[in-house]
Amino acid sequence: GQILWTNYFMEEQGYQVVETVVYQDNQSAILLETNGKQSSGKRTWHMNVKYFFIKDRVDSGEITIKYCPTDDMVADYFTKPLQGAQFRKLRAMIMNIDPTIPDCSWSAETATVCKSH
């Protein structure tokens, strides 16, 4: 719902929203979101119609659901306690820094990235 509200807000401000993509790393959820009850199994058959709100939006073309592997899910940086290589990879993506430089840090005073370079 939040993504649709944001789209409507942007359109009211005069921006043209070309495509709205929702990235999902759960392939079972993608099937439910694109096929609805046809993809339901024993564990999801009881779900109420209101939970297929996303399917209606997919059918109308308002949003598109695309698969994104868990290792590439940038939102995890903000929602999960990541460690090691995964943390550094997503941090580099968000901060637009070179992930191969091992000793990166941000200095607000000098606005430089990676002390060694």
Side-chain angles (χ1 to χ4, degrees), residues 3 14 24 26 46 49 54 74 80 117:
I3 190 75
Q24 175 65 267
N26 184 323
H46 64 282
V49 174
I54 297 297
V74 177
K80 295 180 181 175
H117 288 77

Side-chain angles (χ1 to χ4, degrees), residues 5-106:
W5 182 91
T6 303
N7 278 355
Y8 300 148
F9 177 79
M10 295 299 289
E11 288 172 351
E12 288 298 318
Q13 301 305 311
Y15 294 96
Q16 180 182 5
V17 178
V18 178
E19 181 182 28
T20 302
V21 178
V22 176
Y23 291 99
Q24 175 65 267
D25 62 353
N26 184 323
Q27 293 183 351
S28 294
I30 293 172
L31 287 174
L32 278 172
E33 293 159 353
T34 55
N35 298 330
K37 290 199 178 216
Q38 297 163 345
S39 293
S40 296
K42 290 180 181 179
R43 302 178 86 192
T44 57
W45 66 270
H46 64 282
M47 292 178 70
N48 194 329
V49 174
K50 69 180 180 179
Y51 295 108
F52 292 104
F53 172 80
I54 297 297
K55 185 202 177 322
D56 293 339
R57 297 305 176 258
V58 169
D59 290 346
S60 71
E62 287 183 78
I63 63 171
T64 304
I65 308 293
K66 291 187 180 178
Y67 176 72
C68 178
T70 302
D71 289 343
D72 296 334
M73 190 63 73
V74 177
D76 287 353
Y77 181 84
F78 300 105
T79 60
K80 295 180 181 175
L82 303 173
Q83 296 179 6
Q86 182 67 6
F87 172 80
R88 288 188 294 277
K89 173 185 171 182
L90 295 179
R91 177 188 62 185
M93 289 173 68
I94 291 165
M95 295 181 68
N96 195 27
I97 59 177
D98 186 353
T100 61
I101 300 172
D103 195 30
C104 290
S105 63
W106 174 259

